[in-house]
Amino acid sequence: MSERVTVDMWFDPICPWAWITSRWLLEVERVRPVEIRFHVMSLSVLNEGRDLPAEYQALMKSGWGPVRVCVAAEQRYGTGALRDLYTALGNRIHLQSEQLTGELFTAALTDAGLDPELAGAAERTEFDEALRASHEAGMRPVGTDVGTPVIHAPGPDGKPVAFFGPVVTPAPRGEVAGRLWDGVLLVAATPGFFELKRSRELDPIFD
């Protein structure tokens, strides 16, 4: 097997499409020589100052809490803690349809083996500078007209590539996941390639 390489994904815990992509990447980790490392971006930061429908504005307001909790945990425990915390948050947000409350954050931190007191970070702005820095690091290579998931990876020639997506549902498994990874990486590393898209006909499937 080839030497393992690090692949970085930027996520916002509230995005269902990013959640599915993250589960696919963890499957890719099983069948390809990659190690997935998670980082925080924020749809609330991305959409600051934009003219949004009232319902989406409300979601962006509540979206500050989970990303602040993630940054607080990363500062306390290191970036590696985000893997288990993201899983714990995603299980509760997307699989169990729990509301974005302090109780959810406390439970997710406990699930991940982290200090549940970090849930209090959801209501504090002291982590926002670090949150914005993490967001900027993820979004800088891909621009601000995309959201999450964002992935940074070594391309087939070893040079770094960054891209939004893929948006896929449900998460592919086994060798199918690996083949999708091979194809996405090949396309993303093609000079001058920017977009491949079709209309979505399915809602997120979390199987």
Side-chain angles (χ1 to χ4, degrees), residues 59-121:
L59 178 62
M60 293 302 94
K61 184 176 181 180
S62 64
W64 286 96
V67 289
R68 286 169 173 165
V69 171
C70 285
V71 171
E74 182 179 23
Q75 289 192 353
R76 172 83 66 86
Y77 296 100
T79 299
L82 290 177
R83 174 186 287 245
D84 289 343
L85 180 56
Y86 183 25
T87 292
L89 286 166
N91 284 338
R92 291 180 174 275
I93 294 169
H94 303 298
L95 304 189
Q96 300 173 32
S97 300
E98 296 184 18
Q99 297 300 306
L100 299 175
T101 63
E103 289 77 12
L104 182 154
F105 305 143
T106 298
L109 286 159
T110 301
D111 292 344
L114 308 177
D115 183 0
E117 294 296 322
L118 291 174

Side-chain angles (χ1 to χ4, degrees), residues 125-134:
T125 61
E126 65 188 85
F127 299 100
D128 289 3
E129 182 178 354
L131 168 61
R132 291 177 186 277
S134 180

Side-chain angles (χ1 to χ4, degrees), residues 15 26 35 40 54 69 71 84 86 96 118 139 149 182 184 206:
C15 178
L26 293 179
E35 180 176 350
V40 186
V69 171
V71 171
D84 289 343
Y86 183 25
Q96 300 173 32
L118 291 174
M139 302 305 292
D182 297 339
V184 166
F206 301 121

Side-chain angles (χ1 to χ4, degrees), residues 7-11 18 21-22 25 37-39 86 149-151:
V7 172
D8 295 284
M9 175 185 162
W10 272 259
F11 70 92
T21 297
S22 73
L25 284 175
R37 185 168 55 187
F38 293 103
H39 307 271
Y86 183 25
V150 165
I151 294 172

Side-chain angles (χ1 to χ4, degrees), residues 176-190:
V176 175
R179 290 199 301 270
L180 177 59
W181 173 252
D182 297 339
V184 166
L185 205 59
L186 182 63
V187 167
T190 300

